[in-house]
Amino acid sequence: KTYENIASLKEISVAVNNHMGSKFSEFPEGLTGVLSVIKDERMFFVDSVTTAKSSVPQIAENLDIPLLRRDIFIDHSQKLEDIQAMLLKLEKRAEKQGYAIAIGHPHNTTFEALQMWIPTLAEKNITLVPITNLLQDKIEATTEPVPLSGYDYKY
């Protein structure tokens, strides 16, 4: 069944995420099966880090599957000022480590905050890129990171 579910998403997705899978991400036997399918399908995994007890990093390492981890949840709170504060925190994280991965929800307030924030990025020398750009140290890739426009999302 996992192969069928993944196959139905392959045209629009390059990764799998455990955003609502805290309990499952603590279950090594189940994770091994799912991450094996992800590897077979040449996809990668983005760990939402929803639990400190996650088995994802170890299983991904054992299976040699590319793994990325979120840095910031931007919208635990739906207050506009709270989301804006998280976006500033995201900027600081990106400045410190050279990149940052954010996860948010499709809420109106989140969209509103992003619509205000995105136009400010150029003056801050921040570039939004597809998450696949962050895999360059995990896969055999020789291309430079590119901005979102015109990017081939399949690695």
Side-chain angles (χ1 to χ4, degrees), residues 19-49:
H19 192 63
M20 295 177 62
S22 298
K23 285 283 188 197
F24 189 75
S25 65
E26 297 176 6
F27 178 49
E29 294 81 7
L31 272 175
T32 298
V34 170
L35 290 179
S36 293
V37 171
I38 293 167
K39 180 177 181 170
D40 289 349
E41 295 295 327
R42 290 194 31 78
M43 297 176 85
F44 64 96
F45 196 81
V46 179
D47 190 353
S48 289
V49 194

Side-chain angles (χ1 to χ4, degrees), residues 7-134:
S8 70
L9 299 172
K10 285 285 290 194
E11 291 302 313
I12 60 170
S13 180
V14 295
V16 174
N17 171 262
N18 64 317
H19 192 63
M20 295 177 62
S22 298
K23 285 283 188 197
F24 189 75
S25 65
E26 297 176 6
F27 178 49
E29 294 81 7
L31 272 175
T32 298
V34 170
L35 290 179
S36 293
V37 171
I38 293 167
K39 180 177 181 170
D40 289 349
E41 295 295 327
R42 290 194 31 78
M43 297 176 85
F44 64 96
F45 196 81
V46 179
D47 190 353
S48 289
V49 194
T50 55
T51 175
K53 298 177 186 175
S54 176
S55 297
V56 170
Q58 186 61 52
I59 304 294
E61 183 178 334
N62 291 348
L63 293 173
D64 193 30
I65 182 174
L67 173 67
L68 297 172
R69 301 179 77 204
R70 71 100 183 131
D71 294 295
I72 306 286
F73 273 118
I74 61 170
D75 58 1
H76 278 302
S77 164
Q78 278 300 287
K79 293 181 184 172
L80 182 61
E81 58 272 9
D82 292 343
I83 297 170
Q84 291 170 322
M86 294 307 289
L87 291 170
L88 290 175
K89 188 175 178 180
L90 180 68
E91 290 176 20
K92 288 179 174 48
R93 178 67 60 90
E95 184 178 334
K96 182 177 181 179
Q97 70 185 21
Y99 70 93
I101 298 173
I103 291 180
H105 302 87
H107 299 302
N108 289 336
T109 313
T110 304
F111 288 131
E112 182 181 351
L114 290 171
Q115 286 174 331
M116 290 186 286
W117 179 68
I118 290 170
T120 71
L121 297 180
E123 68 191 40
K124 299 172 185 176
N125 201 27
I126 296 173
T127 304
L128 293 180
V129 298
I131 198 164
T132 51
N133 282 21
L134 301 179

